[in-house]
Amino acid sequence: MKRILCFGDSNTFGTGPMPSLGSDPIFSKEERLAGVMAADLGVGFDVIVEGLPGRTTVFDDPVEGEYRNGLRSFRAILESHRPIDLLIIMLGTNDVKQRFNLGPQDVALGVARLLNEAAGLDIVGQSLVICPTPVKETGDLAEIFRGAEARCVGMPAQMERFATENGAAFLDAGAHIQVSDIDGVHLSADSHATLGHVVAEKVQTLFS
């Protein structure tokens, strides 16, 4: 049995497009990308989802809480699910919020920091970095992500660079899907399905 841990934010968790800040749409386990991936992979794979809405790579969020910092809980989560045959990290969307004002290289280095942490524990077999889909400044989240479209430019190249340098495989989600026009951040059910199929194919190549 191959154990896959999906470590990410609201798009890993399964939050749907938000018409307003106060809404909280959540896709079912089967609809979200990890569920689609698990169905495609079938018997022999145990897919574990650790998605937290608002999670950053390694940065404390002064507005939504320090616990959104992915590094703070990362080791505990890894230790809780060891041994892990494949670690999938899909983070970076929340790092481009206006309050952080980070460029693509800093975001990619945040992911690299997580990869280094995992490597030091010696409980993860392989890692896959998924660069999240570029943000659109639209809907009720537009002010929170003001300037994010520009900050996302060049992120796939930076993520691929540091993923490769740290021995991880790489996948660019933006090459296959787009975020919803409703809020510019979250994925539609169709995008979850598309990305889930794409990730499943990538996983199969990693274990072939």
Side-chain angles (χ1 to χ4, degrees), residues 160-181:
E160 183 173 20
R161 171 189 172 184
F162 291 107
T164 302
E165 288 183 3
N166 286 276
F170 175 78
L171 177 67
D172 180 14
H176 304 278
I177 58 170
Q178 294 183 342
V179 292
S180 169
D181 288 331

Side-chain angles (χ1 to χ4, degrees), residues 65-186:
E66 293 180 350
Y67 72 96
R68 308 273 185 180
N69 180 335
L71 184 60
R72 288 182 177 271
S73 59
F74 191 53
R75 178 167 182 170
I77 289 173
L78 293 182
E79 293 277 10
S80 297
H81 298 296
R82 62 185 172 91
I84 299 163
D85 296 289
L86 176 63
L87 168 66
I88 299 178
I89 299 176
M90 189 171 79
L91 286 172
T93 297
N94 292 297
D95 295 44
V96 298
K97 288 176 177 175
Q98 178 192 356
R99 68 188 64 145
F100 298 115
N101 195 31
L102 299 169
Q105 188 170 86
D106 279 337
V107 178
L109 285 169
V111 173
R113 175 68 181 86
L114 296 173
L115 292 172
N116 287 332
E117 181 76 6
L121 299 177
D122 198 29
I123 58 175
V124 175
Q126 300 184 73
S127 295
L128 169 64
V129 171
I130 301 177
C131 181
T133 311
V135 168
K136 296 179 183 178
E137 295 169 57
T138 186
D140 209 18
L141 300 183
E143 178 60 22
I144 293 175
F145 285 89
R146 180 156 52 92
E149 289 185 27
R151 288 191 289 275
C152 285
V153 174
M155 191 176 295
Q158 293 290 344
M159 285 240 184
E160 183 173 20
R161 171 189 172 184
F162 291 107
T164 302
E165 288 183 3
N166 286 276
F170 175 78
L171 177 67
D172 180 14
H176 304 278
I177 58 170
Q178 294 183 342
V179 292
S180 169
D181 288 331
I182 294 174
D183 65 8
V185 172
H186 296 105

Side-chain angles (χ1 to χ4, degrees), residues 18-25 140-141:
M18 299 167 57
S20 66
L21 282 174
S23 61
D24 188 27
D140 209 18
L141 300 183

